[in-house]
Amino acid sequence: MHIHIGLSEVTRETISELLGQLLTSEYALYLKTLNFHWNITGHSFISLHQLFEANYEWLKLIIDEIAERIRTMGYTAPGAYRTPDKSIVTAHNHTKNLTVGAMLAELVADHEALIRKIRQVIDDISGMHDYASEDCLIQWLKGHEKNTWMLRSHLLHTPEA
Ligand SMILES: [Fe+2]
């Protein structure tokens, strides 16, 4: 059925592709954060275990929002592992025990990479009149910036960082 919402098929396809790239990276960060939630140790265990849980729950929420936005554009939401090479989140070595400081540093770097990616996507789609996607992207950007601040605040007080 034809989608007649004031956005051309080319525009909707372009936006869906960009959102699909974002979905892949958000999913990678979700899995990494979940794993760190399980494997965190040390004197700040409870606070970081809970912070990581809040982070992955938020990531799960926005992954769903991204996928549903792609569906709204009329395209198929990709499997999260569709293009792992496009993921901008650093690879996670599941067999390596990271220090608390290393976990926090990785998460900060990954959230920052996603902030830059989202900012770029907003720039890329500006002028396409897809105000709803821009609004969503700004909300996701704000969330990542807040998470980065919270993670970095722990990092400053972690000796092994
Ligand atoms: Fe848990």
Side-chain angles (χ1 to χ4, degrees), residues 3 6 21 25 27 37 47 67 78 85 96 102 105 108 115 129 136 153:
I3 295 177
Q21 291 169 15
S25 296
Y27 203 80
H37 162 78
S47 63
D85 55 310
K96 202 170 120 196
V108 166
I115 286 166
H129 310 293
C136 289
S153 297

Side-chain angles (χ1 to χ4, degrees), residues 34 37-38 49 53 56-57:
L34 183 61
H37 162 78
W38 295 329
H49 181 69
E53 180 169 3
Y56 78 69
E57 289 292 352

Side-chain angles (χ1 to χ4, degrees), residues 1-145:
M1 194 176 158
H2 184 62
I3 295 177
H4 193 56
I5 58 172
L7 299 173
S8 71
E9 192 175 335
V10 172
T11 294
R12 287 186 286 102
E13 188 177 8
T14 301
I15 291 167
S16 296
E17 173 57 30
L18 290 168
L19 292 179
Q21 291 169 15
L22 185 61
L23 181 84
T24 305
S25 296
E26 298 285 6
Y27 203 80
L29 183 54
Y30 166 78
L31 290 176
K32 185 192 281 189
T33 306
L34 183 61
N35 187 269
F36 286 0
H37 162 78
W38 295 329
N39 289 316
I40 185 87
T41 57
H43 61 271
S44 51
F45 171 79
I46 284 292
S47 63
L48 286 177
H49 181 69
Q50 289 174 347
L51 178 63
F52 292 170
E53 180 169 3
N55 281 182
Y56 78 69
E57 289 292 352
W58 177 76
L59 287 162
K60 188 167 77 174
L61 197 74
I62 70 163
I63 286 164
D64 191 50
E65 288 177 356
I66 296 167
E68 291 182 0
R69 190 73 208 144
I70 293 169
R71 295 296 298 135
T72 304
M73 294 285 106
Y75 289 84
T76 304
Y81 285 108
R82 179 187 62 147
T83 50
D85 55 310
K86 281 190 183 173
S87 171
I88 53 171
V89 171
T90 52
H92 176 211
N93 183 348
H94 293 265
T95 60
K96 202 170 120 196
N97 279 330
L98 294 177
T99 62
V100 174
M103 283 184 181
L104 286 165
E106 264 201 39
L107 293 177
V108 166
D110 291 339
H111 278 277
E112 286 181 340
L114 278 158
I115 286 166
R116 295 193 300 274
K117 170 72 179 173
I118 292 171
R119 209 180 293 288
Q120 184 61 55
V121 174
I122 293 169
D123 286 346
D124 290 346
I125 74 168
S126 82
M128 291 184 185
H129 310 293
D130 184 5
Y131 309 112
S133 287
E134 284 187 38
D135 181 62
C136 289
L137 285 156
I138 289 166
Q139 296 308 314
W140 301 332
L141 180 68
K142 283 164 71 177
H144 275 295
E145 286 183 342

